[in-house]
Amino acid sequence: MSRTPRTGEIPTNSRTHQARWAVPAAAAGALALVGGVLLWSPADEADASPAPRAAFTAVAAGDIAEQCTKSDSRCAHPKTAALVQQINPQFVLTMGDNQYDDARLKDFQKYYATTWGAFKNKTRPVPGNHETYDPAGPLKGYKSYFGSVAYPDGKSYYSFDQGNWHFIALDSNSFNSAQINWLKKDLAANGKKCVAAYWHHPLYSSGEHGNNPVGKPVWKILDEAGAELVLGGHDHHYERFAPQDANGKADANGMVELLAGTGGANPYKIEEVQPHSQKRITNTHGVVRLDFTDSGYSWKLIGTDGSTKDSSPSYDCR
């Protein structure tokens, strides 16, 4: 489906775009402060609708709580938690490996709970491979700590709505037939315009783990349903990709992948740059601030020093 340019935007041939704003020297226009951004409309368009405001904000990161505390200056998850507190989003997405190394309940309580646990009530987590290493049983500590937040329907995957968006939280440790069938039914019942999904093991990654084909069938289902965005972790770096399909081919109407394994675990190296990778950052801890409107989205990677490390293009929903 072709996209419709936003007010004040120069049309492009891709789903991705960056709005360009210019204020002429002559005062023949109207200025307005919208969402902290100065917008300009020419005199003959002064009554035109402004660009969509951020309807809501979320924060995302994966690979979070090492077994360390704030007393250790090298410990990163207290610093990334402080960023979340400052941003104060509507909700938080975690992309797995929330607690290292074996994700036991006592470790969740000793480490994760003392930092990211401050906003547990608005966190929407998914499990990673480290949550399966619990000696008490796979996902035992994860389920015990998060409770119904992570298992709202008695399953390790679920969905929820916010504004004009439908969010799908998946368990990539086991993309079995039950989860696949649930996903298809969930998408068929969805009435929201925009769709985002997130799980731990990314289909595409330039990091040490590389591409993980476990997500390919899921990507295909989501893409065919017109989803916009996929988020992942597992590799401990930040990376964003241009729209592509499940076979790794550039597709202006494909899905965008965002990888943010930056929540606190030791960074990984970039090993092999994948096609359509637009930006890669390692040796940086931080969180992704996602701004969603009723018709699109954009994001920024915020480092623990408070600076913006990367800004995405603005995207329209399909």
Side-chain angles (χ1 to χ4, degrees), residues 117-194:
F119 29 88
K120 176 182 175 181
N121 64 337
K122 60 179 179 181
T123 297
R124 303 293 178 264
V126 294
N129 52 291
H130 278 267
E131 274 81 11
T132 70
Y133 302 158
D134 186 350
L139 307 188
K140 182 75 172 182
Y142 168 81
K143 182 178 181 180
S144 297
Y145 177 72
F146 284 111
S148 62
V149 172
Y151 278 73
D153 296 312
K155 304 178 181 69
S156 56
Y157 44 90
Y158 56 95
S159 64
F160 62 97
D161 294 331
Q162 180 80 23
N164 204 30
W165 281 80
H166 185 63
F167 293 88
I168 304 174
L170 298 172
D171 180 359
S172 58
N173 292 299
S174 180
F175 278 142
N176 55 27
S177 59
Q179 187 171 187
I180 294 294
N181 290 336
W182 173 90
L183 174 62
K184 291 177 179 178
K185 292 178 181 178
D186 182 82
L187 286 166
N190 171 50
K192 301 295 183 179
K193 175 179 174 62
C194 307

Side-chain angles (χ1 to χ4, degrees), residues 198-218:
Y198 57 108
W199 61 83
H200 184 61
H201 304 84
L203 178 56
Y204 305 113
S205 173
S206 300
E208 293 184 20
H209 287 304
N211 295 349
N212 195 314
V214 68
K216 189 172 181 177
V218 173

